[in-house]
Amino acid sequence: MDIAPVSRAAVSDAVFAHLVDEILSGRVAVDEALPSERELALAFAVNRHAIREALKRLQQARLVRISHGGKTRVQDWRQTAGLDVLSTLAATGAVPALQIARDIMVMRRSVAADAARLCALNATEGELAAIATAAAAYPSERTDESIAVDLTFWTAIIDGSGNLAYRLALNTLVAAFADIGFGVIAELGTSAELADRDAHITLAEHLVARDADAAHRLADELLGRVVEILSARQL
């Protein structure tokens, strides 16, 4: 395990980030024991409190487990970790950004299309009016503001769906996009979606009319465009 001393500033964060990179990259094998707190403190040239905090965060992320005898062993993150690891995967580069982006977009399509269906059924009149306003804000061509406009629109739809799990999933996906880089995401093939102002306005009209089936179909088609582009790039 290649360890170097870290800065005293935010030492626990630095230790955590380094250990996450080691685990997600596979440089520390599944079920392998990490060095002791004392050994880690010496290797990173930090105090044991910083090490203890970093290990606690690894355990909370379900990347490690504390075994009998006090050893900290690496878990298989593909089986134990949650959505919160997405942004970490993107930041560390342990999984190619294109793959993460495609998988996120597939999940985004599924969640957002169902959220649109629920929104048509459950949203208040005020929420539907806000969605219509957000749709009207889309530019006719993709600009630097397009992603922010898009986030506002879909956040309003998910809030209108009344599904808390979908809202929390959105937060995780946005965090992962931020770590990959919104500029990178914009260049991966989102123009076919973001520049289609008419489609977003039509979707808003379906929602206002409370046509759940039409809203679901259009949302699935609209968000599926970037999925097709990213899937083709992986071939």
Side-chain angles (χ1 to χ4, degrees):
M1 202 170 161
D2 184 19
I3 298 176
V6 298
S7 167
R8 294 288 176 180
V11 289
S12 179
D13 290 343
V15 171
F16 173 75
H18 188 106
L19 292 176
V20 165
D21 187 57
E22 293 288 313
I23 292 169
L24 296 183
S25 67
R27 288 191 290 272
V28 183
V30 173
D31 209 38
E32 182 178 340
L34 295 180
S36 68
E37 286 185 8
R38 178 178 177 278
E39 292 170 323
L40 288 171
L42 288 173
F44 283 108
V46 300
N47 60 49
R48 292 181 66 172
H49 176 73
I51 298 297
R52 198 170 296 118
E53 286 297 313
L55 293 178
K56 180 180 179 180
R57 290 173 62 187
L58 289 175
Q59 186 178 25
Q60 290 172 337
R62 297 187 295 281
L63 296 179
V64 301
R65 69 181 186 279
I66 307 300
S67 304
H68 180 68
K71 287 190 176 296
T72 301
R73 294 191 179 276
V74 173
Q75 300 200 96
D76 184 348
W77 61 266
R78 291 183 180 274
Q79 297 185 31
T80 61
L83 277 176
D84 52 306
V85 175
L86 270 176
S87 58
T88 309
L89 284 170
T92 61
V95 177
L98 181 60
Q99 179 183 336
I100 294 175
R102 188 196 70 86
D103 291 349
I104 289 174
M105 289 299 187
V106 169
M107 180 178 176
R108 173 177 176 257
R109 176 184 61 184
S110 299
V111 169
D114 191 57
R117 179 185 65 81
L118 292 174
C119 182
L121 299 173
N122 300 330
T124 66
E125 294 302 316
E127 287 172 328
L128 293 175
I131 291 168
T133 299
Y138 274 90
S140 56
E141 297 181 358
R142 184 170 70 82
T143 69
D144 292 341
E145 303 299 320
S146 294
I147 290 180
V149 171
D150 192 60
L151 180 58
T152 297
F153 177 74
W154 287 106
T155 298
I157 290 177
I158 288 177
D159 285 344
S161 76
N163 189 301
L164 178 60
Y166 284 173
R167 186 63 171 87
L168 297 179
L170 172 67
N171 295 341
T172 300
L173 298 186
V174 171
F177 281 148
D179 283 328
I180 294 172
F182 286 112
V184 174
I185 295 297
E187 296 303 322
L188 286 177
T190 56
S191 292
E193 172 196 331
L194 295 178
D196 195 340
R197 183 174 186 268
D198 290 344
H200 291 90
I201 290 175
T202 300
L203 176 54
E205 290 172 348
H206 289 328
L207 294 171
V208 170
R210 297 195 180 277
D211 190 337
D213 290 339
H216 182 278
R217 285 194 301 271
L218 181 53
D220 183 75
E221 186 278 324
L222 180 61
L223 300 184
R225 297 175 188 178
V226 67
V227 173
E228 293 179 3
I229 292 171
L230 294 177
S231 296
R233 290 189 181 186
Q234 283 193 294
L235 297 179

